[in-house]
Amino acid sequence: MKAKIMGAGSYVPHKVVSNAMLEKMMDTNDEWIRTRTGIETRHISEGENTSVLCGKAAMDILEKTGISAKEIDFIIVATMTPDGLSPSTACLVQDYIGAKPIMAFDVNAACSGFIYALSIGEKLIQSGTFQYGLILGGEVMSKIIDWQDRSTAVLFGDGAGGILLSATETENSFLGEDIHSDGSRGESLTAGSHLVTNFHTKENLENRFLQMDGRSIFDFAIRSVPESIRTVVESSNYTLGEVDCIVAHQANYLILQAIAKKLKIPVELFATNIAKYGNTSAASIPILLDELLTNGDLVLGSKKKIVLTGFGGGLTWGSMLIQL
């Protein structure tokens, strides 16, 4: 069996927080944020947790594709901000949309999470056991941000997005992948530590907030991502000139410019919506993909070749070459 992308969907909280609003909360300003990140606004949850964002994105996907929740065979949610350690966010989504008691589980690869989840979902479809699978990426980053830390608080937003995969004997949406991790550099981005505290250990203070070495992440991205993009395209027997669009994790517009320069391709090849949503971690790729499909910039069945690429905590990174 082959895996086909049937459609996409997304959901973001209604509350929009502008750079000007952040100026009132911390020592920063709109020009500084825009020129260094490309971000102008972000959507922030007013109480909806990750499972709700993902559930609403899933309902959007089902509505657009005309598939019933009862037809879904598995759900994978990519997130680094689950509702809790248990139950998984995917199990909560299964209940939220009214799906059958199907297989549902989470994947945590931070900002690369959607790539990881999509790779797993493709293999499940290829097994011939499943007909339909929901692959979701969702985050409520605002709940792990220290809103007094201007180095991270200005970057992130909340949201969810995803796609529906279906089994087919003829059409294959997936042409190649290149996925990696390097735990030796994991301290460059951490969040929500749970230290060992029991009657054998001394009391430890845990830091639940996201902490990031911005310079380290920037250097990692502009070194690893261009190589990954080139590898996935060339190993699939294509050239960069045959790629119609790159849907990259929306971390920082300057990173996208640097990646494009390193690959010697126009930065316009990279689709972007970071100005509106900021960095939504595992949600950024599917939110952008859904936006492109909804606006008609990309069309299912067009046979256009798209690179999806993510990078972030773990450290993790990966790229997939798909055909719509």
Side-chain angles (χ1 to χ4, degrees):
M1 299 302 295
K2 298 178 175 62
K4 175 186 176 182
I5 296 174
M6 282 195 66
S10 62
Y11 174 80
V12 294
H14 299 300
K15 180 67 174 180
V16 177
V17 175
S18 67
N19 292 342
M21 294 169 71
L22 293 182
E23 289 180 9
K24 301 175 182 178
M25 299 170 54
M26 61 192 73
D27 183 17
T28 190
N29 60 73
D30 174 64
E31 182 184 6
W32 188 94
I33 298 171
R34 281 189 294 104
T35 57
R36 288 164 175 78
T37 69
I39 300 169
E40 297 175 10
T41 61
R42 70 283 295 147
H43 290 249
I44 299 296
S45 172
E46 294 182 281
E48 296 170 314
N49 215 333
T50 306
S51 63
V52 175
L53 302 190
C54 288
K56 290 184 177 181
M59 296 298 286
D60 186 43
I61 297 168
L62 297 177
E63 182 179 351
K64 289 176 178 175
T65 58
I67 299 298
S68 164
K70 300 295 184 185
E71 298 178 80
I72 301 300
D73 297 306
F74 66 84
I75 300 171
I76 307 175
V77 172
T79 184
M80 64 177 287
T81 57
D83 289 23
L85 297 180
S86 184
S88 71
T89 305
C91 284
L92 297 174
V93 171
Q94 176 267 331
D95 177 58
Y96 187 93
I97 67 174
K100 297 176 295 185
I102 54 175
M103 178 171 66
F105 61 94
D106 291 356
V107 171
N108 182 357
C111 303
S112 308
F114 186 75
I115 298 295
Y116 274 60
L118 190 54
S119 174
I120 296 168
E122 180 209 0
K123 310 306 183 297
L124 290 175
I125 292 291
Q126 286 180 337
S127 72
T129 305
F130 308 97
Q131 179 63 40
Y132 295 112
L134 280 172
I135 314 299
L136 304 166
E139 306 282 14
V140 179
M141 297 301 293
S142 60
K143 68 182 181 180
I144 64 167
I145 296 299
D146 179 355
W147 289 94
Q148 302 305 312
D149 178 9
R150 65 176 182 174
S151 67
T152 57
V154 301
L155 302 176
F156 295 93
D158 303 334
I163 65 170
L164 176 67
L165 292 183
S166 68
T168 172
E169 294 182 353
T170 56
E171 300 178 67
N172 185 17
S173 295
F174 297 87
L175 305 178
E177 64 178 42
D178 177 75
I179 302 176
H180 304 275
S181 68
D182 182 1
S184 69
R185 294 186 283 174
E187 292 301 311
S188 297
L189 193 155
T190 61
S193 63
H194 289 273
L195 304 178
V196 178
T197 53
N198 57 39
F199 57 88
H200 285 300
T201 66
K202 294 181 179 179
E203 183 177 356
N204 291 302
L205 294 177
E206 300 182 357
N207 189 347
R208 67 183 182 88
F209 295 124
L210 182 143
Q211 296 180 309
M212 182 175 68
D213 181 340
R215 172 49 59 182
S216 177
I217 295 296
F218 188 95
D219 291 345
F220 145 69
I222 64 174
R223 289 174 184 271
S224 300
V225 177
E227 180 182 355
S228 181
I229 293 173
R230 191 183 302 278
T231 296
V232 75
V233 172
E234 294 180 353
S235 65
S236 303
N237 297 316
Y238 294 98
T239 66
L240 285 172
E242 295 175 277
V243 173
D244 296 291
C245 180
I246 298 176
V247 179
H249 166 51
Q250 303 291 288
N252 184 313
Y253 186 70
L254 297 185
I255 290 179
L256 300 184
Q257 286 182 314
I259 293 171
K261 183 177 181 180
K262 201 157 188 179
L263 288 171
K264 298 179 181 179
I265 59 177
V267 70
E268 290 75 20
L269 196 60
F270 287 79
T272 63
N273 63 3
I274 190 172
K276 292 190 295 183
Y277 302 113
N279 181 344
T280 55
S281 187
S284 72
I285 292 173
I287 289 175
L288 177 54
L289 184 59
D290 176 51
E291 188 171 74
L292 293 169
L293 289 169
T294 299
N295 294 342
D297 297 311
L298 295 177
V299 179
L300 291 173
S302 64
K303 304 300 182 183
K304 285 191 174 183
K305 295 170 182 61
I306 313 299
V307 171
L308 309 179
T309 187
F311 51 92
L315 294 175
T316 58
W317 68 102
S319 303
M320 302 184 80
L321 180 64
I322 64 172
Q323 182 172 263
L324 295 180

